[in-house]
Amino acid sequence: MKQFVVLCLTGLALLGCSDNDSRTPPISSPATSDTSNPLVGAWQNGEQTLVLEENGDFYLPADNQRQGLSWENTDGTFTFRYLDNSRLAVETQSARGEQQQDTLSLSPATPSTGEQEQTDSPLFTGDYQRANSAVGHLSGKVELPEDSELPDKAVLTVSLLTRNDEAVIRRLIPLTSDALSQPFRLYYPASAVNADSDYQVRSQILADGGLFFQSEPTPLDFTRGQFADITLPLSAVMTASETLRGALVYQYGTTSLILCNSDRRLQLAGPQRDDLIDAYEAAREYPLQPRVATVSGLLRKVPGEQEGSTQSGVIVESFSLESGYDDCRLPGAELTNTRWQLSALGDKTLDASQQQPYLTLDGEGNVHGNAGCNGLNGSYQLKDDTLSFGTIATTRKACPDMAREQAFLQALKAASGLRIDGELLTLFDDNNQPLAGFQAIAL
């Protein structure tokens, strides 16, 4: 799912930039096994479950919004550190705690200093009951190929999945050791796993938005209410470093690099990605104008829009922009019989997650489409590089965002020129100012 990809990549950056984990703690026995530390175990208060491991690892198996990172107890003050997916931040929460037999009582305490202090109502408060039977776990290790080197700020992702690739639980684990064998453990609500169903596990190692190693989806053995420990061999994913020449284009809600004279599209990632996009946006004369760039970097697979999928990408190390792109042929689209979806309005690009207006021009001077809410029909006139629209009729539904719809219709009314850049169409006014930009969606 696209949302998970975004959260995952953000999580990589947050975990990679944090200096609170100076080492990878050795994996300990499962929290649900017998231990001399009475605080170790699974603790439940209503729908919230805390899992505290001997080595300081912290898990929130029933929380889809947060991932536990670490915990510690200093003279009755508990400090919990976790990744909050909704805030896109690593946060710290403190609580005063007292444990008596099978009850752990936590009360609010002054927030401790961390990446971001908590200002809302404390999360981890109340009376928690020991509930080791409420969670299950999957333990194992991943093994890298011989002579492999981990990239800086590497993060291991491990996902427990159903046979249909639906996620049961997943975890991001920052790797600070160069060992070729890396342990992992996942905790999940016991009620989330059915003994009559089949499950699998998948792992990846990512850094700077690139995918460096991955395992095949591996079936799991579930007997007597417990997954057997497993070893996942990892394989390297694309290691070539190249200098590439292509056109930077804004399409499908993101900026990517289309290699010249081909239809190969690469997603941008890595430490220089933002600088490259900033330079591209500053250099273009209208929102959807392509700009040719020479990019040096590593070719990698990066996470795709669907969970578990990948797409080709380049980890940008250096770049330079060129002034034109006449000798850089791009995949093209015809003006007529193509669905043109709005991607820019005026001098602003649009968010791809919104439902956008679109147009289709037939070969007989007719146009139809949707203005964002209301359907539209009308006519157009095309001569050389001039394009104008006649009267545009629309349906009359009342819609929440009529302002953008009216701005789109006014742009069509003012159009007098056009430019097609590959699969991108831009309309201009009499003063050659951009009015609207579209991306081609094949019919």
Side-chain angles (χ1 to χ4, degrees):
M1 288 175 280
K2 191 171 184 179
Q3 183 183 25
F4 170 67
V5 174
V6 173
L7 295 177
C8 179
L9 294 179
T10 304
L12 300 184
L14 293 169
L15 294 176
C17 293
S18 172
D19 60 2
N20 290 307
D21 290 317
S22 59
R23 63 183 179 87
T24 301
I27 195 164
S28 58
S29 299
T32 51
S33 61
D34 293 335
T35 174
S36 60
N37 186 342
L39 291 174
V40 171
W43 301 92
Q44 194 170 53
N45 179 12
E47 296 182 356
Q48 189 178 71
T49 302
L50 317 180
V51 177
L52 313 181
E53 281 202 340
E54 183 80 38
N55 66 348
D57 281 347
F58 176 42
Y59 298 79
L60 295 166
D63 194 331
N64 293 325
Q65 181 177 315
R66 304 171 185 86
Q67 176 192 297
L69 297 175
S70 64
W71 74 280
E72 61 179 304
N73 173 31
T74 304
D75 298 327
T77 296
F78 287 74
T79 302
F80 301 100
R81 199 165 147 266
Y82 60 95
L83 174 64
D84 191 318
N85 293 331
S86 65
R87 296 175 184 265
L88 300 182
V90 173
E91 300 192 356
T92 300
Q93 176 73 60
S94 296
R96 293 293 299 171
E98 180 180 4
Q99 183 259 332
Q100 293 184 347
Q101 297 183 343
D102 289 336
T103 300
L104 175 62
S105 298
L106 298 175
S107 58
T110 302
S112 53
T113 302
E115 286 83 343
Q116 178 174 323
E117 292 189 357
Q118 183 76 12
T119 57
D120 296 338
S121 300
L123 285 170
F124 312 121
T125 57
D127 292 331
Y128 291 79
Q129 304 302 315
R130 190 180 298 277
N132 288 352
S133 62
V135 299
H137 72 271
L138 169 64
S139 301
K141 60 183 178 180
V142 298
E143 291 190 341
L144 286 83
E146 290 294 330
D147 301 323
S148 296
E149 292 186 5
L150 285 174
D152 293 338
K153 299 179 182 178
V155 175
L156 171 67
T157 73
V158 184
S159 299
L160 173 60
L161 308 167
T162 67
R163 182 174 58 182
N164 298 324
D165 287 336
E166 296 176 354
V168 177
I169 199 75
R170 61 175 67 90
R171 188 168 178 83
L172 308 180
I173 306 169
L175 301 179
T176 55
S177 164
D178 291 330
L180 296 181
S181 180
Q182 301 282 350
F184 67 84
R185 179 170 293 129
L186 304 177
Y187 288 92
Y188 55 86
S191 59
V193 169
N194 187 335
D196 297 327
S197 300
D198 295 327
Y199 297 90
Q200 57 184 338
V201 62
R202 179 191 291 124
S203 63
Q204 299 176 330
I205 291 180
L206 305 100
D208 285 327
L211 175 60
F212 286 73
F213 300 92
Q214 67 179 356
S215 72
E216 295 295 327
T218 305
L220 292 168
D221 179 21
F222 187 78
T223 57
R224 298 181 180 179
Q226 178 61 51
F227 288 111
D229 291 358
I230 191 167
T231 297
L232 299 175
L234 299 177
S235 57
V237 180
M238 296 182 67
T239 58
S241 179
E242 295 189 19
T243 297
L244 308 165
R245 184 171 182 269
L248 296 166
V249 297
Y250 180 83
Q251 198 170 7
Y252 308 114
T254 188
T255 299
S256 57
L257 180 73
I258 300 179
L259 300 189
C260 291
N261 307 317
S262 79
D263 59 357
R264 187 180 181 191
R265 183 187 303 270
L266 298 174
Q267 296 303 311
L268 304 175
Q272 295 297 313
R273 171 187 180 274
D274 290 346
D275 289 343
L276 174 55
I277 292 176
D278 288 345
Y280 163 58
E281 292 178 350
R284 64 193 183 192
E285 298 175 1
Y286 50 93
L288 300 189
Q289 183 186 33
R291 292 301 300 261
V292 171
T294 299
V295 177
S296 296
L298 296 172
L299 292 178
R300 298 289 185 199
K301 290 292 186 181
V302 299
E305 293 188 359
Q306 300 299 318
E307 182 181 347
S309 68
T310 60
Q311 54 191 350
S312 297
V314 56
I315 310 299
V316 180
E317 296 175 344
S318 63
F319 64 88
S320 62
L321 295 181
E322 300 179 20
S323 58
Y325 76 101
D326 291 340
D327 61 342
C328 183
R329 182 177 56 82
L330 300 178
E334 296 293 331
L335 177 64
T336 57
N337 300 317
T338 296
R339 177 166 170 163
W340 294 103
Q341 179 176 296
L342 189 68
S343 298
L345 194 56
D347 60 357
K348 304 294 184 183
T349 56
L350 301 180
D351 186 347
S353 65
Q354 300 177 350
Q355 181 178 352
Q356 303 297 358
Y358 65 88
L359 298 174
T360 300
L361 289 72
D362 66 20
E364 299 178 354
N366 301 309
V367 59
H368 68 271
N370 188 283
C373 173
N374 285 288
L376 64 85
N377 286 280
S379 61
Y380 73 92
Q381 296 80 42
L382 175 65
K383 184 178 181 180
D384 298 327
D385 60 350
T386 64
L387 173 68
S388 60
F389 292 90
T391 301
I392 299 291
T394 65
T395 55
R396 297 181 178 273
K397 290 189 292 184
C399 307
D401 189 10
M402 293 300 295
R404 191 182 66 166
E405 180 166 304
Q406 289 301 315
F408 171 62
L409 294 173
Q410 287 298 319
L412 297 184
K413 183 178 180 180
S416 61
L418 82 157
R419 182 181 177 97
I420 296 180
D421 299 300
E423 297 175 328
L424 303 171
L425 165 68
T426 300
L427 302 181
F428 297 89
D429 64 14
D430 289 334
N431 297 317
N432 205 32
Q433 295 300 306
L435 295 169
F438 304 81
Q439 65 184 27
I441 307 294
L443 294 178

